[in-house]
Amino acid sequence: MDLQLDEQRLITTMQEQAAIGGTENGGLHRLALSDADKRVRDWFLDAMEDAGLETRIDEMGNMFGRRAGTDPDAAPVLIGSHLDSQPYGGIFDGPLGVVAALELVRSLNDNDIETAHPIEIVNWTNEEGSRFQPAMQGSGVWAGELSLDDEYAKTDDNGENFESELERIGYKGPEPAAPAEPYHSSLELHIEQGPKLETSNSDVGIVTGIVGLSWGAVTFEGEAEHTGTTPMEDRADALVAAADLITVIRRLPGTLGDRTVGSVGHVDVKPNSINIVPEEVTITWGIRDPSDELVDQGRKRVIAEAEAVAEREGVEVDWQDRASSTSIHFPDGPVQAVTQATETLGYDAIEVFSGAVHDAAHVAKVCDTAMVFAVSKDGKSHTEDEFTSWDDCYKAANTLANAGLSLAESGSQTQ
């Protein structure tokens, strides 16, 4: 059947969540386990209970709301995303997927539609990884990819402890952070965070997979010297070495593949004074590609180039891997459900491979998973300028709803 969400209610609900931690420039500053995160969690919990859902919170703060199915043997369909944001990010990144899942449940209630499978909606803890690292912390522990004790011990830049902050805001739940039962399938709606949908004049993206990635850090150790008295030939300048490597990483993707991307996102310089030759510089880098082989080649090239740069500049070098993930290709079942939904609704859609990593990457280790992308204007995200029109929000949410309903109506089947 063709399910149509209440567009105005979707918009109003998006505006409600955006006001919690909203910025003067129309963005969102709602870091994980902050006071603003607590307020939006309270809001979401009330909304789930008002929709008649059976709610639970696990020990990582992941929030679930369950709508019962008619088949007692049918495994649940999991639908959702995250409510935390980047520092001064946008109002659509993540929250649109949570709000769309909530609107699916509300619309099923409005139309007295029962499903064979239970439907669970979810808000994952700390998808962004801005305050506590790594990203996708809550879904990672839930899926068994990260250790609960290790993540509890993480601290932010101010030394605040993850577990303590989770307790402080009242969202360290009693349920184990693990699947309590098999899941039938999972869907996540997210904005694209890239330009492909807009440039192709598409309404919706059918996500067929997620790129693999490698993140690492390189530290160059030189010597601190007076910048006015030390001859140029006698300097061991760690920042010059780092700058050379940054340039190499910027050019590296073009030598690997047409879908490879690479960047340096953070530089830490010590002592960071205009009058002192930099003694120690650490850069963090990342490489992504749908091909795991190309990601590995890129990682090895970064390490080799770092060693060559260090020798050339007369400094010491050390490197470490920070994170890695293999590429994910979503299975036909949920991808086909998304495809069928776009066709039923008459939306122009294209298949895309996600260049960003989402909670769906962890959830895919537990059950068959797929994603829906909404159009991102100018491809912008992680900024207050992030924008998706309400029409595009509605089309993507409608697609999610119809795909989710299709999966949940499919009868008794465990994964």
Side-chain angles (χ1 to χ4, degrees):
M1 67 175 295
D2 178 358
L3 181 67
Q4 296 285 339
L5 300 184
D6 184 327
E7 184 173 6
Q8 186 54 55
R9 187 172 59 194
L10 173 74
I11 294 170
T12 299
T13 307
M14 280 294 293
Q15 292 170 332
E16 287 176 0
Q17 67 81 24
I20 304 172
T23 68
E24 293 182 359
N25 295 320
L28 195 62
H29 186 74
R30 198 161 65 204
L31 305 187
L33 312 190
S34 65
D35 291 345
D37 189 23
K38 172 181 168 49
R39 292 195 301 273
V40 80
R41 286 168 174 270
D42 292 345
W43 167 85
F44 183 54
L45 187 61
D46 288 344
M48 289 195 293
E49 291 174 348
D50 288 346
L53 301 182
E54 178 185 349
T55 62
R56 71 181 192 278
I57 301 166
D58 72 20
E59 56 196 340
M60 276 296 288
N62 298 317
M63 303 174 66
F64 301 87
R66 186 181 183 107
R67 187 179 192 266
T70 60
D71 186 342
D73 297 322
V77 175
L78 183 64
I79 305 176
S81 192
H82 64 94
L83 289 170
D84 66 306
S85 82
Q86 288 281 335
Y88 300 97
I91 69 169
F92 304 95
D93 173 1
L96 178 59
V98 176
V99 169
L102 177 63
E103 286 304 311
L104 164 59
V105 168
R106 287 171 169 174
S107 293
L108 294 177
N109 292 344
D110 292 343
N111 293 282
D112 296 320
I113 297 173
E114 294 185 323
T115 59
H117 293 263
I119 292 177
E120 283 194 355
I121 66 174
V122 60
N123 167 41
W124 297 111
T125 294
N126 190 29
E127 191 271 353
E128 295 291 0
S130 297
R131 184 181 178 196
F132 300 96
Q133 288 79 49
M136 306 174 298
Q137 212 170 12
S139 60
V141 172
W142 180 84
E145 298 293 300
L146 299 174
S147 159
L148 176 67
D149 290 340
D150 287 348
E151 302 317 307
Y152 270 177
K154 296 295 176 61
T155 57
D156 66 10
D157 289 342
N158 295 320
E160 300 290 346
N161 173 263
F162 180 95
E163 183 179 12
S164 297
E165 287 293 275
L166 192 60
E167 291 175 332
R168 182 185 68 81
I169 67 168
Y171 278 89
K172 182 183 178 184
E175 301 291 329
E181 60 186 315
Y183 278 79
H184 171 268
S185 54
S186 176
L187 293 173
E188 180 176 356
L189 164 60
H190 208 279
I191 60 170
E192 182 192 0
Q193 302 178 292
K196 293 179 181 177
L197 296 181
E198 185 179 43
T199 56
S200 65
N201 293 315
S202 299
D203 297 320
V204 178
I206 303 164
V207 186
T208 58
I210 298 176
V211 297
L213 66 82
S214 179
W215 287 344
V218 175
T219 298
F220 293 103
E221 294 275 0
E223 294 184 20
E225 304 277 7
H226 193 297
T227 58
T229 60
T230 307
M232 298 301 291
E233 65 271 16
D234 292 338
R235 300 186 184 198
D237 191 327
L239 184 55
V240 171
D244 279 359
L245 185 60
I246 290 170
T247 302
V248 167
I249 293 171
R250 173 64 177 86
R251 295 170 178 167
L252 181 61
T255 70
L256 291 172
D258 57 6
R259 292 193 289 180
T260 311
V261 296
S263 62
V264 171
H266 180 76
V267 180
D268 182 28
V269 182
K270 296 178 182 178
N272 204 23
S273 169
I274 193 172
N275 207 33
I276 304 174
V277 174
E279 180 179 30
E280 179 182 298
V281 178
T282 298
I283 66 170
T284 57
W285 55 269
I287 294 175
R288 307 182 192 217
D289 193 278
S291 165
D292 295 330
E293 181 180 354
L294 289 181
V295 171
D296 186 56
Q297 287 181 25
R299 172 186 170 275
K300 291 176 179 177
R301 289 270 297 278
V302 170
I303 295 169
E305 293 288 348
E307 292 173 346
V309 166
E311 182 176 358
R312 184 167 64 246
E313 295 299 328
V315 298
E316 299 296 321
V317 63
D318 184 37
W319 60 270
Q320 61 179 207
D321 293 313
R322 290 283 179 87
S324 65
S325 64
T326 57
S327 61
I328 296 170
H329 296 260
F330 293 143
D332 290 341
V335 171
Q336 185 56 40
V338 174
T339 302
Q340 183 61 52
T342 63
E343 294 173 353
T344 299
L345 294 164
Y347 297 156
D348 290 327
I350 60 169
E351 292 187 350
V352 293
F353 214 83
S354 177
V357 182
H358 303 280
D359 288 308
H362 286 315
V363 179
K365 306 295 176 64
V366 174
C367 62
D368 286 356
T369 299
M371 293 185 69
V372 178
F373 272 174
V375 177
S376 291
K377 181 173 175 54
D378 298 326
K380 290 186 176 181
S381 185
H382 291 180
T383 169
E384 292 173 309
D385 293 333
E386 172 188 284
F387 182 76
T388 297
S389 72
W390 292 130
D391 183 56
D392 285 327
C393 286
Y394 182 63
K395 288 176 179 176
N398 257 351
T399 300
L400 178 83
N402 281 269
L405 177 58
S406 174
L407 292 170
E409 284 183 327
S410 58
S412 179
Q413 178 184 354
T414 57
Q415 195 66 24

